[in-house]
Amino acid sequence: MLADALLLYLHLSAMLGLAVFLTAKTSLTRAGPVDVQALTRLRRLDVWVWGSFAAVLLSGLALVFWGIKGPQWLLHNPLLWAKVILLALMAAMSWPSTRQLARWDVQARIMAAWQPAEDEVKKERRWLMAQSHVMVVIPLLATLMSHGFG
């Protein structure tokens, strides 16, 4: 019982970490200029976002195989697969952001007074906001699962 509670705690903490790092990235792309200093923070936060994705996935796998309900119940639950698909969708939505930040980094190294175009920053923010909107559904599915649905 304690092991299951700790696994759930790790999984929830990983999801909260993902929310925090996505929120931090979103706040750095708010209206206003993105300079080299902000880009450095964005790149660092992007690494934390990907680490959080990994932590969510690994803690989720630990719950499936070492949790009380076990794989025989969880792997047949459509809500689990919906959560996995949404997490994969969020990761797929993060990829363009990671690529954009890498492009900005190259541009910033070439040009001394670099700043991204305003429309690029807005596009980056839209991707981050879209991920946040997808993420909101995952705890609902988790709550339904924990109450025996699926």
Side-chain angles (χ1 to χ4, degrees), residues 5-64:
L6 291 174
L7 289 172
L8 283 166
Y9 171 75
L10 287 173
H11 194 55
L12 178 60
S13 296
M15 281 299 289
L16 289 173
L18 181 57
V20 165
F21 297 125
L22 278 175
T23 301
K25 280 183 72 176
T26 304
S27 72
L28 283 174
T29 58
R30 68 192 177 281
V34 172
D35 57 10
V36 174
Q37 190 176 13
L39 176 60
T40 301
R41 287 189 195 120
L42 283 166
R43 297 272 292 178
R44 192 174 310 127
L45 287 166
D46 194 55
V47 170
W48 282 101
V49 165
W50 285 104
S52 296
F53 277 129
V56 169
L57 182 62
L58 292 174
S59 61
L61 286 170
L63 267 170
V64 167

Side-chain angles (χ1 to χ4, degrees), residues 86-106:
L86 290 175
L87 187 67
L89 176 62
M90 286 180 65
M93 293 169 79
S94 276
W95 185 244
S97 174
T98 299
R99 298 295 303 145
Q100 181 65 57
L101 293 176
R103 283 190 295 275
W104 286 352
D105 195 45
V106 169

